[in-house]
Amino acid sequence: MESEREYELLRKNDALANALREARDELRLLSEAPNTYGTYLWRDVDDYAVVSVNGKKMRVVVSNKVDKATLIMGAEVILNQNLGLIEVSWPDGRG
């Protein structure tokens, strides 16, 4: 009888721990600043690129995680909250 109760408590503890992890992950995602989309124009010196964001040209740093071969003129790019180029996205055709 005692071991059944212990087993049940351990099972509930695991379920609560999993729920807490999921809630933490969701909270982390929801608290991140929104990303900005832009258009890649050309490569600048070193690890920099020139992009257009809302019609405004900007010189931004390119993350080391970005495959430079995917940076082609007109590619849609994603900038983080520090305006660093973190990802190449592909246009969805909606302007």
Side-chain angles (χ1 to χ4, degrees):
M1 210 57 159
E2 185 69 27
S3 64
E4 287 179 23
R5 176 143 171 79
E6 288 176 6
Y7 175 75
E8 182 65 24
L9 290 173
L10 286 171
R11 190 185 63 74
K12 286 182 179 180
N13 188 45
D14 285 344
L16 288 171
N18 287 334
L20 180 59
R21 270 192 291 281
E22 289 174 9
R24 261 195 226 132
D25 291 344
E26 183 72 14
L27 184 59
R28 182 186 53 78
L29 285 173
L30 292 173
S31 66
E32 288 180 357
N35 291 326
T36 302
Y37 283 83
T39 304
Y40 177 79
L41 299 176
W42 64 81
R43 182 178 177 179
D44 205 10
V45 296
D46 299 325
D47 290 327
Y48 288 89
V50 176
V51 299
S52 175
V53 177
N54 293 328
K56 191 174 171 183
K57 281 195 290 187
M58 303 175 77
R59 182 176 180 250
V60 299
V61 68
V62 179
S63 169
N64 292 334
K65 295 179 182 178
V66 173
D67 179 7
K68 308 296 190 280
T70 61
L71 288 172
I72 56 173
M73 188 190 314
E76 187 173 69
V77 294
I78 300 175
L79 309 174
N80 64 12
Q81 64 269 19
N82 299 319
L83 297 179
L85 196 156
I86 58 169
E87 189 177 332
V88 177
S89 177
W90 301 106
D92 59 11
R94 290 190 286 174

